[in-house]
Amino acid sequence: MKEYQTITEISGPLVFAEVDEPIGYDEIVEIETPQGETKRGQVLESSEGLVAIQVFEGTTGIDRNASVRFLGETLKMPVTEDLLGRVLDGSGQPIDGGPEIVPDERRDIVGAAINPYSREYPEEFIQTGVSAIDGMNTLVRGQKLPIFSASGLPHNNLALQIARQATVPEDEDSGEESEFAVVFGAMGITQEEANEFMEDFERTGALERSVVFTNLADDPAVERTVTPRLALTTAEYLAFDKDYHVLVILTDMTNYCEALREIGAAREEVPGRRGYPGYMYTDLAQLYERAGRIQGRDGSVTQIPILTMPGDDDTHPIPDLTGYITEGQIYIDRDLNSQGIRPPINPLPSLSRLMDDGIGEGLTREDHADVSDQMYAAYAEGEDLRDLVNIVGREALSERDNKYLDFAERFEAEFVNQGFDTDRSIEDTLDIGWDLLSMLPKSELNRIDEELIEDYYHEDAESVEAEA
Amino acid sequence: MSQATQDSVREDGVIASVSGPVVTARGLDARMNDVVYVGDEGLMGEVIEIEGDLTTIQVYEETSGVGPGEPVESTGEPLTVDLGPGMMDAIYDGVQRPLDVLEEKMNSAFLDRGVDAPGIDLEKKWEFEPTVSEGDEVASGDVVGTVPETVTIEHKVMVPPDFEGGEVVAVEEGEFSVTETVVELDNGEEITMHQEWPVRQARPAAEKKTPREPLVSGQRILDGLFPIAKGGTAAIPGPFGSGKTVTQHQLAKWADADIVVYVGCGERGNEMTEVIEDFPELDDPKTGNPLMARTCLIANTSNMPVAARESCIYTGITIAEYYRDMGYDVALMADSTSRWAEAMREISSRLEEMPGEEGYPAYLAARLSEFYERAGYFTTVNGEEGSVSVIGAVSPPGGDFSEPVTQNTLRIVKTFWALDADLAERRHFPAINWNESYSLYQEQLDPWFVENVEDDWAEERQWAVDVLDEENELQEIVQLVGKDALPEDQQLTLEIARYLREAYLQQNAFHPTDTYCSPEKTYGILTAIHAFNDEAFKALEAGVPVEEIQAIEAAPRLNRIGVQEDWEAYIEDLKAEITEQLRELY
């Protein structure tokens, strides 16, 4: 391995060095500062005689006399089943004081794309125990369903609730032990947030089936571009080699994208929208598309990335590009949150694209699709009417309109608002749905099959109200 | 990718620099757009710029670990596709490598690098039946024989467009592979079942004609209000979650085209899997055969290399044109053209080209119009009539239609189906906004609907449009003063418009019956609502309060017509009941 002391330029996170041998694109580099500190980096551009290196740990302390070593391989993640229960830093080094990790294998962190022909279509219902998700935006194994949130909202509590409660009801029935694992990738979150997650993992015993990667807010920003890839490489190994059903939680994708922008700016690239690089769609897709199922393998990778929308704006490039890649999204709503609704999920803009194939007879319940559809329509109508009530008052509205207003209120108070510690079965969720729908006259339920109305509709809605 | 035939030995070069999918090479003797093999692993790429001794290449595969000094080899041929029997029921990546063959060759569920495979099986034997005999004169484009490609599609073997043609001197019959000669001409030209064609060049046709036949989609709002012609172009722009993909899937499933080419350009892997799993099980409404038997899928998911995303659109349209030449009506769905434009932008920015609007290259508009112009209703070289209809999804950032891809697309296409996030939120599907959408084909297609469905097709449609327009205006007032402040006749109009929205415009893609609606049924539903309208206004005039009219029991049954298998009887029955119940009121 040849050592160079040929650094010609240092700019932000980038180091340029002259070389006299060909260096591969994406290769790993070690830079030793004169103080004896070793920093790692990656080749961003390689041409004859000159390479551009992106340094993960920041360029502080590097000068023109620092020595550069090219390791001749791309970045790899040592993977083994023993990673479960371990806590690693953002570049994959253990920080929990545990034993050294003896890898089974070292995997390239830039995962290859899954051949669409080899994929298996996700249609196994995951019960999260959260009505607004299970009932209205069902999650299935192998899906990527991000949480669109914003600063000051309890998205972490929701992510933890899902991680804690997620089960696949089928497996319980057949008594089959489903091997479930959580891979947690934190990018640029605060120490406090990280503690919150760790405490919850420890309290519920989830840590022993989790692998935790933490890049904290004060860790180098460039390292954040590697953290999710390490996490996903580990997840793929556990899922497709060791048959685990892996839930990957990535937080906060906004910090990841900021790091991408930082590197792009340092390289003087032509910026795209709001200064983010033009290839951000491709880059994000390379992360999100690593969710899925593969034919003939038992495991699965399900992703729940969390992102905070700057200025609550979902047209910002980060949520926008994410929404175009992921299979739906769950919106956390500021208004609902201030009304004390927990979890404050707003079902209207939320969506799960894989829902239709994961629900129904044999999977959840025969009435699931219709109930969800009808509740969407009814809640949307109620929401519309609220604007009107502000102007003309409730008395000016017809009886029908007033029913919809009541529906919207009870929908939020009873269906969505369940608290972060309540675990509802899908039957409970749908039964609550019918309690609410029975407030409306039968003729309004135009999205539900007539037979299902016969079976489930409560004729006497008054008594239900009294019960509630 | 085509098995490029290396006719002349060209000089090979070495890599000078690597930056993501863009590689430069020195000392390479290649022409613009030639396909080259890059590095020790032989990754496929295409020449996109030549400057002095330096050649810039976009590479269709991951370039991790590739470094300067590695060899670059030119094939001396532009990017071509293999054309021949075996393309139906196939699933390709962006450069026409069959994904099932790749899985087998790589022995992995993940896509490896440096593996190539021909677009059609070169070994497989096909039953060739000639339609010419010795002594016949054939010209380029003429059909010389047929092959039963799938249960639905009879593949026509044609004289390649770049052949001169002449007198047939030898004809074979029986089982042959695509590389074996089946017809020989007197000028020495040997015709096989296999052709190659450069993807960036349109295949020749005799004449482009005005399309006069609709591409019936089985979707009420499309056929009824905003129809597209066979050979027409349409754009479906919409923010995420508004149902672009479901609409594209519905068209791929139910459109009455002979052939469907579905290009998944930079979209989700699971969505493509859904198509791969669903289509073989679904029946073609026209023939009853499996849908896959008339479908060719091109899947270049968002995490597959960006350069191959740029080329997948061209691969798709070239395959479509080939079947058009046989005289088939082909529908091409591109989901999504925005990803294609973004791939252009990404490569352009790596080339450090001067950016145009929003960082897109200045040639964006030219590329888009070039692509859409390849659609049309044609008289083919051999005198048949065939068409290519192109339906492109557009994914505008933030749902803002003023961005360059949407705007440049709208300048070319003649049908515009605007998807609306608001409608999607209230689960009004298909979430096509009837106020913003348009179709410029309406008038030229009306004669077909009049002839094939009903005489007053256009009048009924106009009635529906008028009611919806009026609703749109009234809604603005309702937002201010509430519905009850409106005069009774306007309240009734709102009620009629509600039924138009719920019973006519909405359609459940996941309901086994409602998913496909024939033009007759589309018309039937509309007339049922119209009948209710007429009776209701009569009742109103006779002094019946609007609340009582709204409360009649039969009216909500209008919303159920869509899911009725025996809709004709249902509508007759319903009309009678509505009339009866309304007349009882006065």
Side-chain angles (χ1 to χ4, degrees):
Chain A
M1 202 184 323
K2 210 164 168 184
E3 252 189 64
Y4 294 90
Q5 286 193 318
T6 52
I7 293 178
T8 55
E9 189 186 332
I10 303 167
S11 144
L14 301 188
V15 167
F16 296 85
E18 285 174 355
V19 289
D20 57 8
E21 62 184 344
I23 302 297
Y25 176 70
D26 264 358
E27 237 178 63
I28 289 302
V29 187
E30 273 181 9
I31 299 177
E32 204 176 319
T33 65
Q35 291 79 34
E37 200 186 341
T38 306
K39 289 168 183 281
R40 292 204 303 165
Q42 192 174 13
V43 174
L44 268 192
E45 192 169 330
S46 169
S47 49
E48 288 163 325
L50 189 73
V51 291
I53 301 157
Q54 147 189 343
V55 185
F56 299 140
E57 283 103 341
T59 45
T60 318
I62 299 178
D63 65 8
R64 269 176 295 194
N65 299 321
S67 61
V68 181
R69 279 192 303 272
F70 295 94
L71 303 189
E73 61 165 25
T74 51
L75 195 54
K76 301 258 190 329
M77 171 74 203
V79 286
T80 154
E81 225 172 326
D82 299 337
L83 279 169
L84 288 169
R86 301 299 302 267
V87 182
L88 315 168
D89 72 3
S91 59
Q93 309 298 326
I95 48 169
D96 55 359
E100 203 180 315
I101 292 163
V102 185
D104 263 6
E105 217 181 303
R106 301 176 70 248
R107 290 260 171 104
D108 207 317
I109 65 156
V110 185
I114 302 176
N115 187 333
Y117 186 78
S118 313
R119 277 181 187 266
E120 190 167 320
Y121 190 63
E123 44 199 4
E124 273 178 302
F125 165 64
I126 299 180
Q127 180 176 301
T128 64
V130 181
S131 291
I133 297 178
D134 290 351
M136 316 281 283
N137 298 287
T138 316
L139 177 70
V140 296
R141 272 182 181 163
Q143 185 172 16
K144 39 195 180 291
L145 190 66
I147 297 176
F148 281 16
S149 185
S151 37
L153 296 178
H155 43 264
N156 291 343
N157 299 4
L158 177 62
L160 281 169
Q161 185 177 17
I162 295 171
R164 223 171 26 233
Q165 299 179 351
T167 54
V168 175
E170 251 178 328
D171 285 358
E172 278 174 9
D173 293 347
S174 59
E176 211 178 291
E177 184 81 10
S178 92
E179 296 245 53
F180 185 69
V182 175
V183 172
F184 179 72
M187 293 156 282
I189 64 169
T190 60
Q191 183 71 54
E192 242 171 89
E193 278 178 290
N195 289 349
E196 195 187 323
F197 275 104
M198 292 308 299
E199 274 161 25
D200 197 87
F201 282 151
E202 277 166 25
R203 181 172 63 86
T204 59
L207 188 61
E208 52 191 87
R209 53 186 177 91
S210 307
V211 189
V212 179
F213 293 85
T214 49
N215 165 284
L216 295 179
D218 55 352
D219 287 337
V222 179
E223 192 183 87
R224 273 162 220 165
T225 60
V226 182
T227 311
R229 295 191 161 79
L230 296 170
L232 287 165
T233 307
T234 309
E236 277 175 356
Y237 171 81
L238 291 174
F240 302 131
D241 288 53
K242 299 290 169 195
D243 296 341
Y244 283 88
H245 290 293
V246 187
L247 181 69
V248 183
I249 299 174
L250 298 172
T251 181
D252 175 336
M253 291 307 292
T254 305
N255 296 333
Y256 171 83
C257 295
E258 299 286 333
L260 274 189
R261 177 161 70 174
E262 189 181 330
I263 297 164
R267 293 180 65 187
E268 299 176 6
E269 290 168 348
V270 183
R273 271 210 308 155
R274 301 228 189 161
Y276 293 95
Y279 49 80
M280 196 158 86
Y281 178 82
T282 309
D283 194 281
L284 287 173
Q286 280 167 352
L287 300 180
Y288 297 142
E289 275 292 329
R290 290 173 82 174
R293 308 206 54 188
I294 292 179
Q295 281 175 29
R297 316 266 174 107
D298 289 330
S300 64
V301 177
T302 309
Q303 271 190 43
I304 301 189
I306 299 172
L307 57 89
T308 47
M309 299 184 282
D312 293 9
D313 173 16
D314 64 2
T315 66
H316 184 280
I318 301 171
D320 191 52
L321 295 180
T322 299
Y324 275 122
I325 304 165
T326 54
E327 285 133 357
Q329 64 276 332
I330 303 288
Y331 274 81
I332 306 275
D333 190 275
R334 199 175 288 283
D335 286 344
L336 290 178
N337 187 50
S338 60
Q339 284 168 37
I341 308 275
R342 299 284 183 280
I345 297 173
N346 184 357
L348 288 182
S350 301
L351 171 75
S352 164
R353 290 165 189 272
L354 302 181
M355 175 170 178
D356 294 296
D357 293 295
I359 60 170
E361 213 172 342
L363 298 158
T364 53
R365 212 168 79 180
E366 47 176 357
D367 56 330
H368 192 161
D370 288 358
V371 167
S372 147
D373 240 21
Q374 190 70 57
M375 283 204 287
Y376 261 113
Y379 183 53
E381 177 125 26
E383 270 276 272
D384 272 358
L385 289 166
R386 282 178 179 170
D387 296 338
L388 193 56
V389 169
N390 289 337
I391 302 169
V392 299
R394 249 188 121 130
E395 298 72 32
L397 295 183
S398 66
E399 194 192 339
R400 175 182 177 275
D401 289 353
N402 272 304
K403 278 190 175 147
Y404 274 101
L405 279 169
D406 291 339
F407 176 88
E409 246 148 64
R410 280 188 58 194
F411 177 79
E412 287 167 5
E414 292 169 34
F415 190 82
V416 182
N417 187 23
Q418 62 178 88
F420 288 117
D421 294 313
T422 311
D423 188 356
R424 282 190 190 152
S425 73
I426 183 65
E427 280 78 20
D428 289 349
T429 293
L430 292 175
D431 289 345
I432 296 172
W434 276 107
D435 288 350
L436 300 179
L437 289 175
S438 299
M439 299 167 67
L440 304 171
K442 266 187 192 178
S443 59
E444 288 291 321
L445 305 183
N446 55 17
R447 287 158 192 265
I448 304 183
D449 198 270
E450 275 157 334
E451 280 174 28
L452 293 173
I453 297 182
E454 289 311 312
D455 287 354
Y456 291 101
Y457 188 81
H458 312 311
E459 288 294 343
D460 192 5
E462 297 304 316
S463 67
V464 175
E465 229 162 327
E467 251 174 61
Chain B
M1 161 59 197
S2 158
Q3 295 289 292
T5 38
Q6 209 160 342
D7 39 8
S8 60
V9 181
R10 304 181 80 98
E11 222 174 294
D12 297 340
V14 290
I15 297 178
S17 75
V18 185
S19 165
V22 173
V23 167
T24 60
R26 209 177 284 287
L28 183 72
D29 178 20
R31 284 171 306 195
M32 192 69 174
N33 293 113
D34 273 1
V35 170
V36 293
Y37 291 106
V38 176
D40 297 326
E41 289 175 86
L43 311 180
M44 201 164 91
E46 183 181 354
V47 175
I48 52 171
E49 196 176 82
I50 299 172
E51 204 186 334
D53 188 33
L54 212 57
T55 308
T56 309
I57 299 154
Q58 62 175 6
V59 182
Y60 296 126
E61 300 178 75
E62 274 296 328
T63 50
S64 282
V66 176
E70 290 185 35
V72 181
E73 188 190 320
S74 174
T75 61
E77 294 251 323
L79 184 62
T80 58
V81 284
D82 289 306
L83 301 168
M87 290 193 293
M88 289 296 105
D89 201 4
I91 163 162
Y92 296 121
D93 76 350
V95 287
Q96 213 209 1
R97 295 183 302 182
L99 288 171
D100 50 344
V101 177
L102 290 187
E103 183 191 34
E104 206 176 300
K105 275 196 170 179
M106 294 170 183
N107 195 19
S108 156
F110 293 90
L111 290 169
D112 207 352
R113 307 192 298 190
V115 180
D116 201 357
I120 51 176
D121 192 336
L122 300 176
E123 318 271 290
K124 184 172 174 177
K125 299 278 187 192
W126 296 92
E127 183 69 37
F128 176 78
E129 194 177 320
T131 52
V132 292
S133 37
E134 276 174 45
D136 286 356
E137 282 287 330
V138 293
S140 96
D142 280 356
V143 176
V144 296
T146 60
V147 174
E149 183 173 0
T150 62
V151 280
T152 319
I153 299 302
E154 182 172 81
H155 192 102
K156 295 173 184 162
V157 179
M158 296 170 291
V159 181
D162 46 356
F163 276 26
E164 274 173 27
E167 195 187 313
V168 176
V169 292
V171 181
E172 306 281 348
E173 185 174 353
E175 299 222 320
F176 295 96
S177 73
V178 294
T179 51
E180 288 172 288
T181 305
V182 287
V183 173
E184 222 173 294
L185 304 182
D186 61 349
N187 59 2
E189 284 174 336
E190 294 180 346
I191 298 162
T192 63
M193 289 183 261
H194 172 229
Q195 298 188 12
E196 282 178 23
W197 193 261
V199 296
R200 293 182 201 279
Q201 192 182 337
R203 284 174 66 88
E207 195 197 350
K208 197 166 181 171
K209 304 170 75 170
T210 309
R212 302 209 179 272
E213 228 182 273
L215 182 75
V216 175
S217 63
Q219 310 303 304
R220 285 191 286 275
I221 184 163
L222 305 188
D223 294 341
L225 297 184
F226 312 111
I228 175 178
K230 286 199 172 109
T233 50
I236 319 180
F240 59 81
S242 56
K244 282 183 298 296
T245 303
V246 176
T247 310
Q248 290 274 37
H249 283 194
Q250 284 297 91
L251 284 163
K253 284 175 192 168
W254 307 118
D256 70 337
D258 301 312
I259 305 270
V260 170
V261 179
Y262 193 95
V263 186
C265 175
E267 288 287 311
R268 305 174 181 89
N270 282 331
E271 261 166 20
M272 288 318 295
T273 311
E274 185 188 4
V275 175
I276 299 168
E277 285 186 12
D278 273 7
F279 277 31
E281 285 166 23
L282 290 168
D283 291 342
D284 180 351
K286 241 168 103 179
T287 60
N289 297 325
L291 265 185
M292 261 328 263
R294 62 155 197 187
T295 311
C296 173
L297 293 176
I298 296 170
N300 201 85
T301 57
S302 54
N303 55 340
M304 281 153 81
V306 65
R309 196 189 308 159
E310 195 268 335
S311 68
C312 67
I313 291 279
Y314 294 105
T315 303
I317 192 106
T318 310
I319 292 173
E321 284 175 338
Y322 177 66
Y323 282 97
R324 170 207 72 193
D325 286 348
M326 296 178 203
Y328 287 119
D329 291 316
V330 187
L332 177 120
M333 282 86 198
D335 185 13
S336 138
T337 56
S338 292
R339 305 295 160 233
W340 173 49
E342 278 162 15
M344 277 191 249
R345 173 168 72 182
E346 196 171 326
I347 289 160
S348 161
S349 99
R350 300 251 187 199
L351 290 176
E352 295 175 4
E353 288 175 345
M354 186 73 90
E357 212 180 334
E358 287 195 21
Y360 287 103
Y363 45 79
L364 172 74
R367 293 278 170 88
L368 279 169
S369 46
E370 219 178 302
F371 165 66
Y372 281 105
E373 256 319 274
R374 287 173 78 169
Y377 195 93
F378 292 92
T379 304
T380 62
V381 177
N382 56 30
E384 295 263 1
E385 295 205 337
S387 68
V388 176
S389 317
V390 174
I391 297 145
V394 184
S395 321
D400 170 16
F401 289 176
S402 68
E403 58 91 41
V405 183
T406 315
Q407 283 306 313
N408 284 313
T409 305
L410 287 185
R411 276 169 36 207
I412 318 157
V413 300
K414 294 182 81 176
T415 312
F416 173 53
W417 298 323
L419 291 171
D420 188 317
D422 268 356
L423 291 175
E425 271 187 22
R426 58 192 65 224
R427 296 305 187 260
H428 174 116
F429 285 118
I432 296 170
N433 184 313
W434 51 93
N435 292 315
E436 283 180 46
S437 305
Y438 59 78
S439 164
L440 300 179
Y441 295 111
Q442 253 176 20
E443 269 167 40
Q444 69 208 57
L445 297 179
D446 278 346
W448 186 94
F449 284 110
V450 168
E451 193 180 316
N452 291 281
V453 188
E454 208 66 54
D455 289 342
D456 57 350
W457 173 274
E459 289 77 20
E460 284 294 321
R461 179 186 60 214
Q462 197 51 49
W463 171 77
V465 171
D466 289 344
V467 173
L468 290 167
D469 278 349
E470 195 176 344
E471 184 201 27
N472 196 29
E473 280 166 31
L474 291 177
Q475 282 298 354
E476 283 172 26
I477 305 171
V478 170
Q479 289 299 325
L480 292 176
V481 298
K483 199 151 108 190
D484 291 349
L486 292 179
E488 290 211 317
D489 60 328
Q490 292 187 345
Q491 286 187 40
L492 188 55
T493 302
L494 285 179
E495 183 77 357
I496 303 291
R498 186 166 72 89
Y499 281 116
L500 276 176
R501 282 189 279 113
E502 290 177 359
Y504 184 65
L505 299 179
Q506 285 185 21
Q507 191 171 349
N508 186 351
F510 300 99
H511 188 284
T513 308
D514 202 21
T515 183
Y516 176 81
C517 184
S518 66
E520 290 77 17
K521 186 172 173 187
T522 297
Y523 176 84
I525 295 177
L526 192 51
T527 50
I529 301 170
H530 201 163
F532 170 59
N533 172 76
D534 294 350
E535 285 298 326
F537 272 99
K538 265 190 224 160
L540 194 69
E541 270 165 40
V544 181
V546 71
E547 288 81 20
E548 281 181 34
I549 298 175
Q550 286 172 353
I552 66 159
E553 240 168 80
R557 283 181 54 202
L558 286 167
N559 288 335
R560 310 248 175 218
I561 306 175
V563 299
Q564 302 303 323
E565 200 111 25
D566 186 14
W567 53 272
E568 278 161 316
Y570 187 92
I571 289 177
E572 280 318 306
D573 187 46
L574 182 58
K575 275 187 189 166
E577 223 173 294
I578 287 176
T579 314
E580 192 192 309
Q581 291 185 3
L582 282 170
R583 294 203 176 156
E584 269 170 19
L585 298 173
Y586 59 94

